[in-house]
Amino acid sequence: MKVMAATAIFFSTFSFASEPLSVNVQGNKVEVFIHLPGNISADLTLQFENAVGLTKESLGLTAELIDVSSLDIIDRLPNGLNITPAAAFPMMITIEPKPNTGFSFSGVATVDLHTHNLEYTAGTPFRFFKAPLNGEFKDITETLGSGSLRTRGSTGRFSQFIIVADLRAPLVVIQQKFNDLQTALNEFSPQINAAVYSELLQDVNDINQLISTQDYNLASNKLNEFNRRINDNRGINIPDVWRSSRDIRNIAGELMAFSKTLRFSLRLIK
């Protein structure tokens, strides 16, 4: 019975505010099929390294149509003049796990989104953004795929997700993402082993220097080293678990997520 419970597949179709979602949970993977009014649709895949208590009920997943011109959305973007929600894909997906479900995961959660409502072309401004519930949206894009739009991001905690058209200059984006990484590392320093923190801080300083000298390829490689250092120390010297009770921070997951999206932007110009 325990084996059957561990490998069970949960599949259901249900509605939030009359908006249908189909959710398939198998092990550490969640597949979500969303179809909203106006033929606005998407496939969403969540992949966890190791999840506990993962069910469709514990995820707290909803999807809704948004007014892309609403100040409620625009004011949550880093720059409302150069970043606008994708008009042809006015969908916001919210994943807000319920506190008392016992759901937790370690490391990075990977989020893949695919929609036929948008088309990828070379140089597309479309980007994958996420925000804490009702908070500021930030770019988490790690990949973009050709054809109907496919994109990937990662996170160490849960969020709201939208697709935007981001017309900011590449170097502006890179500087913002670097600042986010640096700020997060400084914020988390009391919870990271002191020796490991010093090494990570040196990595970040090196990355900053390489960006300032336009050595984008070396900066990208240094980010790989930064991620490997986190991965080697996670769970021991760096906390790496998120819980629905929200009593601890998944520091390893959050730092790696910041690093991965910065690497994506560096690769666009290197």
Side-chain angles (χ1 to χ4, degrees), residues 146-188:
S146 58
S148 53
L149 188 72
R150 299 176 185 272
T151 185
R152 171 179 294 173
S154 59
T155 183
R157 58 177 178 169
F158 282 108
S159 316
Q160 295 180 302
F161 302 90
I162 61 173
I163 299 293
V164 306
D166 187 350
L167 300 178
R168 292 176 297 172
L171 289 178
V172 171
V173 175
I174 286 170
Q175 190 59 56
Q176 181 62 62
K177 290 185 178 183
F178 174 80
N179 290 344
D180 290 341
L181 175 62
Q182 185 178 54
T183 298
L185 181 61
N186 291 340
E187 177 188 349
F188 293 144

Side-chain angles (χ1 to χ4, degrees), residues 200-220:
L200 293 173
L201 183 60
Q202 185 59 56
D203 288 339
V204 168
N205 289 337
D206 291 345
I207 292 164
N208 188 35
Q209 180 62 30
L210 291 167
I211 291 173
S212 67
T213 57
Q214 300 182 6
D215 290 327
Y216 303 124
N217 186 59
L218 290 178
S220 180

Side-chain angles (χ1 to χ4, degrees), residues 73-195:
I73 298 296
I74 300 299
D75 287 348
R76 296 173 60 191
L77 298 171
N79 185 328
L81 295 177
N82 293 317
I83 306 172
T84 56
F89 186 69
M91 180 190 294
M92 180 167 67
I93 300 167
T94 299
I95 303 176
E96 190 66 11
K98 300 172 184 177
N100 60 352
T101 58
F103 171 53
S104 66
F105 73 93
S106 59
V108 172
T110 302
V111 186
D112 287 272
L113 181 70
H114 170 231
T115 178
H116 290 285
N117 295 115
L118 298 172
E119 289 292 321
Y120 171 89
T121 56
T124 182
F126 292 131
R127 296 292 185 268
F128 197 19
F129 272 45
K130 75 156 189 156
L133 188 66
N134 299 319
E136 182 184 9
F137 281 101
K138 292 182 181 293
D139 185 1
I140 63 166
T141 313
E142 293 177 19
T143 65
L144 287 169
S146 58
S148 53
L149 188 72
R150 299 176 185 272
T151 185
R152 171 179 294 173
S154 59
T155 183
R157 58 177 178 169
F158 282 108
S159 316
Q160 295 180 302
F161 302 90
I162 61 173
I163 299 293
V164 306
D166 187 350
L167 300 178
R168 292 176 297 172
L171 289 178
V172 171
V173 175
I174 286 170
Q175 190 59 56
Q176 181 62 62
K177 290 185 178 183
F178 174 80
N179 290 344
D180 290 341
L181 175 62
Q182 185 178 54
T183 298
L185 181 61
N186 291 340
E187 177 188 349
F188 293 144
S189 61
Q191 300 172 67
I192 300 174
N193 172 274

